[in-house]
Amino acid sequence: MTAKDIVLSAAAQLFGEKDPSAVDRWVVPTYVQHSALAADGPEGLRNLVQNLPAGFRYDLHRVIADGDLVALHGTYHGFGPDPLVAFDIFRVADGKLAEHWDALTPRVDRTVSGRSQTDGATEVTDLGATDANRELVVEFVETVLKRGKTDTITDYLSTEKYWQHNTGIGDNLDGLGAALSALAEQGVSMVYDTVHKAVAEGNFVLTVSEGRFGATPTAFYDLFRVENGKIVEHWDVTPEIKGDLPHSNGLF
């Protein structure tokens, strides 16, 4: 089985069938947890699955695999009053789940662009361009989002279409510019300090970064779709980084 097959099979049994015994089949004894929702190790995951509410379900929207890392983009229903849009990243070792990171945010009914937080393209294509697309996206995050060189933005983003799924940003470069200007007028800065991870497969690249939104420590999970050497679509989940985790592994 590929890493993608392993993660999809494990997730289906753990969160689809809500079967705690799937932990024994799919999780290594040294499982490392970074989520704010579960304690460390297999028992932390088992306890989470055992206590899933009756109405819980998980809807998968996208999956990308990069070596031993597999990223899922989906929506959780039942963790709270509102559905939660989420990115989950699993590291696979010896045919089992070995490590997990995630980021979750409430689903909203209305966005500036009119697109939802999860709709849009889903098919992984252009596998031969994986390395080039990873390089493009990471350079964009490092140069524009981290170093603030906005004058280079058209080196990375398409000037013809840039479809936006962030709840507060409109489509295309003018939508992005308007959102950044509005933040600047409010004195709110969006700072990317560290890029921790990039998971890429074909036309999709997910970056995981740490920084601040205003004064709030924030995790930035950004999924980009690349077409013909330019970024043309963007999804994100940007939760606050909180210190009260049920383990000592940190979010990253």
Side-chain angles (χ1 to χ4, degrees):
M1 297 177 73
T2 66
K4 185 180 289 189
D5 292 334
I6 289 164
V7 168
L8 291 176
S9 297
Q13 294 178 28
L14 289 165
F15 299 107
E17 301 171 16
K18 294 184 278 191
D19 180 6
S21 69
V23 171
D24 302 318
R25 296 188 291 275
W26 293 108
V27 179
V28 300
T30 55
Y31 185 70
V32 180
Q33 181 64 264
H34 297 273
S35 174
L37 297 177
D40 202 21
E43 289 310 308
L45 181 57
R46 189 192 311 275
N47 185 62
L48 176 69
V49 174
Q50 284 175 335
N51 289 284
L52 290 174
F56 174 88
R57 81 172 195 272
Y58 175 71
D59 296 333
L60 177 64
H61 308 299
R62 289 167 191 83
V63 55
I64 58 176
D66 186 356
D68 61 353
L69 297 178
V70 179
L72 307 180
H73 186 201
T75 303
Y76 289 99
H77 301 261
F79 272 142
D82 299 313
L84 296 173
V85 176
F87 285 108
D88 290 272
I89 300 175
F90 293 93
R91 180 174 62 84
V92 174
D94 300 322
K96 294 187 176 183
L97 308 185
E99 195 165 6
H100 172 250
W101 302 259
D102 67 6
L104 302 93
T105 193
R107 190 177 70 185
V108 303
D109 294 329
R110 183 174 299 177
T111 67
V112 172
S113 69
R115 304 177 189 279
S116 81
Q117 291 155 282
T118 57
D119 66 357
T122 61
E123 182 182 2
V124 175
T125 62
D126 301 327
L127 292 177
T130 296
D131 290 340
N133 291 342
R134 185 206 320 274
E135 182 178 353
L136 174 79
V137 167
V138 171
E139 188 174 312
F140 166 70
V141 175
E142 291 278 2
T143 302
V144 178
L145 299 182
K146 183 178 176 181
R147 293 164 53 200
K149 294 180 66 65
T150 55
D151 58 316
T152 68
I153 198 167
T154 55
D155 292 343
Y156 309 101
L157 270 57
S158 171
T159 58
E160 298 176 2
K161 65 175 181 181
Y162 180 54
W163 294 339
Q164 186 61 256
H165 300 269
N166 176 287
T167 60
I169 303 177
D171 279 344
N172 301 317
L173 293 182
D174 56 350
L176 179 60
L180 294 177
S181 296
L183 288 176
E185 289 175 3
Q186 298 168 35
V188 177
S189 59
M190 184 173 63
V191 178
Y192 282 59
D193 291 320
T194 306
V195 182
H196 288 281
K197 201 176 271 81
V199 183
E201 185 180 16
N203 55 331
F204 286 102
V205 183
L206 172 68
T207 59
V208 178
S209 308
E210 180 178 1
R212 285 162 285 124
F213 189 83
T216 304
T218 300
F220 296 99
Y221 276 63
D222 293 284
L223 178 64
F224 301 92
R225 182 171 66 87
V226 181
E227 187 177 275
N228 299 321
K230 295 287 186 178
I231 297 170
V232 297
E233 196 163 9
H234 171 248
W235 302 258
D236 65 358
V237 171
T238 58
E240 177 182 353
I241 298 173
K242 297 183 179 179
D244 53 345
L245 297 175
H247 48 71
S248 60
N249 300 321
L251 283 181
F252 302 100

